[in-house]
Amino acid sequence: MTTIFRLQVDVGPEWTDVLVPKDAELIWTSTEFGRFVTFWSHPGDMATTADEPRKLRTDSLPLAPGADPGNTVRGVSGLSGATAFMKNDRLLWVYRPPAEPPAGDPAPAG
């Protein structure tokens, strides 16, 4: 079974830590009463615990080349492996941290 998880978040240009159900993928965002709301698809039912970390942050869409050379960098996540999610003129970066090795197991070399 697949379920939609709704999460209201206070997200801005700095990375924000959130918890979502295991293996959740961001599928939609909206603004409700001035608050930012995210919707995540995940395997499981409505009672699935939200215990898997994600990091979120908003960003501005990139400008056309040469449009404003004095402007700050736009459209760059700042974390390797982050995924861009776009809806209309909203850009949201989503980062899924690597899984922690089980207790007692050595960390992978690398």
Side-chain angles (χ1 to χ4, degrees):
M1 172 172 34
T2 301
T3 306
I4 304 297
F5 176 74
R6 180 185 187 278
L7 178 65
Q8 182 175 309
V9 294
D10 185 15
V11 65
E14 300 298 321
W15 288 103
T16 300
D17 294 317
V18 298
L19 294 174
V20 298
K22 184 176 179 357
D23 297 325
E25 298 292 332
L26 182 66
I27 57 170
W28 194 252
T29 66
S30 68
T31 303
E32 296 177 4
F33 306 106
R35 301 288 303 201
F36 197 82
V37 180
T38 58
F39 297 87
W40 305 77
S41 175
H42 69 94
D45 60 30
M46 296 299 285
T48 302
T49 303
D51 60 0
E52 193 170 81
R54 295 289 189 283
K55 291 183 176 289
L56 305 175
R57 80 174 190 84
T58 57
D59 196 0
S60 298
L61 296 174
L63 298 172
D68 184 1
N71 202 348
T72 60
V73 175
R74 297 166 159 236
V76 176
S77 73
L79 283 177
S80 180
T83 303
F85 181 87
M86 294 177 62
K87 180 185 170 199
N88 300 329
D89 61 352
R90 176 181 291 158
L91 171 57
L92 182 68
W93 289 106
V94 180
Y95 177 71
R96 182 180 188 170
E100 294 288 326
D105 286 355

